[in-house]
Amino acid sequence: MWQLPTHGEVSEQIHYKDYPAEHRAGHTLLSALNEGSPIRQQGNIFHGYTSWRIEWRFRWWEESDGRCRITENQTRLRAEITLPKLATKDSDAMAAFTHYLSALRAHELTHVKIARDYAGRIDRGILNLPEMKSCRTLEDAANRLGHQLLQQATSEEKEMDKLTAHGRTQGAFLAR
């Protein structure tokens, strides 16, 4: 049987968004970031956040007898990283913030790395699906695989946050 070539493609877009935080004399850097942060979840304040979305679009080839196989897939990762932007006249606070921000950015990029890994898994997984009895069966299998991998990515992110205490063990920590 003649095989059509398969082609996969993962593209990504990463955008940064900042929010203002103002450090005033007599206040801690932590309090300035807590006041400025719009990131609040389940009663907690976070200084950085990464949201991402993975989408896939595939094409298939249908044989005259109805059998169907994937011929192409395009997977797209879009991520947005939200981080603070500090305004202060205090050079010590700015130095501490610069160090903290570097660690916080590295932590948020770990979220992107997880999403990137799963985007690749989705792309390869869909491309490697075997020929199926119908295109409807193949389409259902491809989408089921993609959604299962998305759930795994979310679980892996939660576990990473738990293991790193939301970046604390990676250096994203400010003393009170």
Side-chain angles (χ1 to χ4, degrees):
M1 173 189 348
W2 181 73
Q3 288 279 62
L4 288 173
T6 58
H7 173 72
E9 176 185 329
V10 178
S11 63
E12 71 177 52
Q13 295 174 323
I14 301 173
H15 297 283
Y16 284 88
K17 179 173 123 179
D18 58 42
Y19 62 87
E22 184 177 344
H23 176 259
R24 295 178 302 278
H27 291 89
T28 66
L29 182 55
L30 179 61
S31 67
L33 295 177
N34 283 346
E35 286 175 25
S37 178
I39 308 161
R40 299 173 187 315
Q41 295 177 345
Q42 299 173 344
N44 295 309
I45 299 171
F46 296 97
H47 301 153
Y49 185 76
T50 298
S51 63
W52 53 262
R53 182 174 178 85
I54 299 172
E55 299 170 329
W56 55 89
R57 181 173 292 182
F58 50 86
R59 294 179 186 262
W60 62 82
W61 176 261
E62 185 176 13
E63 296 291 338
S64 58
D65 65 0
R67 289 176 296 130
C68 202
R69 68 181 163 275
I70 298 289
T71 58
E72 180 182 348
N73 187 55
Q74 296 175 343
T75 303
R76 186 159 95 182
L77 166 62
R78 285 189 261 172
E80 182 175 85
I81 300 172
T82 303
L83 295 168
K85 183 175 183 177
L86 186 68
T88 185
K89 293 180 182 178
D90 183 328
S91 61
D92 290 338
M94 185 53 84
F97 174 74
T98 300
H99 177 75
Y100 173 70
L101 183 62
S102 176
L104 184 60
R105 182 180 293 112
H107 173 75
E108 295 307 324
L109 286 170
T110 305
H111 286 282
V112 173
K113 182 182 179 302
I114 291 169
R116 182 181 294 128
D117 177 50
Y118 277 88
R121 290 182 192 192
I122 289 168
D123 196 65
R124 288 186 304 277
I126 289 173
L127 285 172
N128 290 322
L129 284 172
E131 180 179 87
M132 298 194 181
K133 64 181 180 180
S134 73
C135 291
R136 180 65 184 175
T137 303
L138 181 65
E139 183 178 332
D140 289 346
N143 287 322
R144 189 170 42 256
L145 173 68
H147 288 290
Q148 286 171 346
L149 288 169
L150 287 178
Q151 287 177 342
Q152 288 175 20
T154 300
S155 294
E156 189 170 319
E157 274 192 300
K158 287 178 182 175
E159 184 64 19
M160 183 270 297
D161 271 337
K162 183 178 172 184
L163 290 172
T164 66
H166 293 278
R168 249 181 123 98
T169 64
Q170 296 167 300
F173 171 74
L174 290 172
R176 302 243 172 236

